[in-house]
Amino acid sequence: MRSIYLASQSPRRRQLLDQLGVAHELLLPEPHEDAEALEATRVGEAPSDYVQRVTRAKLDAACERLRRLGLPQRRVLCADTTVALGHQILGKPADPQEAAAMLHQLSGRMHEVHTAVAVADGSEVRAALCSSRVWVAELSEAAIADYAACTEADGPMGKAGAYAVQGRFAAWIPRIEGSYTGIMGLPLFETAALLRD
């Protein structure tokens, strides 16, 4: 399988592509690009629609970047993950206080994790959506405060829903339905199928 461009800053997505044996180079936003603006939510938008729209916008921006920089043509892969409590989207917390508030919402409840993946090969685009359900045990105030303050790579900051399933937060997840790698941020079954096609 020839090398691809990965338009994502997520070290977990790099790790998961390595797990698939897919050679890749990063194709990241330039300093003048407002990548965060692409993640703005819209009133009334369903979380699954939101994550697919954001992924496609990121893919379009990456393909434009590829053309602008005059880089060799290769397939471009983008992905985005969102955590949803019903219709409420839980994004990335801005600070430990917001992380704690999200963890309070998730405590003792089931939520959904949606990850969209899109691959551009020239003008052709293929996409897939992976949706999973995650149950979180009741969290004590001490556990929430401790995890919200965690500054490790698998802590809450920079993570949709304020947690990383592959880190120590897994100790509070008694059950999942769906794709573990999708919850991590790149569903390997769907990604492999898109790249094979």
Side-chain angles (χ1 to χ4, degrees), residues 38-165:
L38 299 177
E39 297 183 4
T41 57
R42 294 178 180 169
V43 176
E45 187 174 32
S48 58
D49 294 337
Y50 162 82
V51 77
Q52 291 176 91
R53 175 180 59 79
V54 169
T55 299
R56 182 57 192 260
K58 289 181 176 181
L59 183 66
D60 291 345
C63 290
E64 175 55 33
R65 188 179 314 126
L66 179 66
R67 284 189 289 274
R68 187 173 62 247
L69 296 174
L71 296 171
Q73 287 297 312
R74 293 185 188 137
R75 288 177 291 178
V76 179
L77 184 145
C78 280
D80 195 68
T81 300
T82 195
V83 170
L85 267 175
H87 286 290
Q88 181 187 5
I89 293 172
L90 299 182
K92 299 170 186 171
D95 53 43
Q97 292 74 29
E98 189 174 4
M102 289 184 188
L103 295 171
H104 272 106
Q105 288 182 276
L106 296 176
S107 177
R109 299 178 69 182
M110 182 276 292
H111 63 274
E112 293 183 314
V113 178
H114 304 285
T115 297
V117 185
V119 176
D121 192 353
S123 61
E124 186 175 359
V125 175
R126 295 184 183 90
L129 175 68
C130 174
S131 297
S132 303
R133 298 199 292 173
V134 180
W135 281 258
V136 177
E138 292 282 350
L139 302 171
S140 69
E141 289 294 330
I144 288 173
D146 181 56
Y147 188 73
C150 176
T151 57
E152 297 170 10
D154 289 331
M157 303 314 294
K159 313 293 190 310
Y163 76 91
V165 71

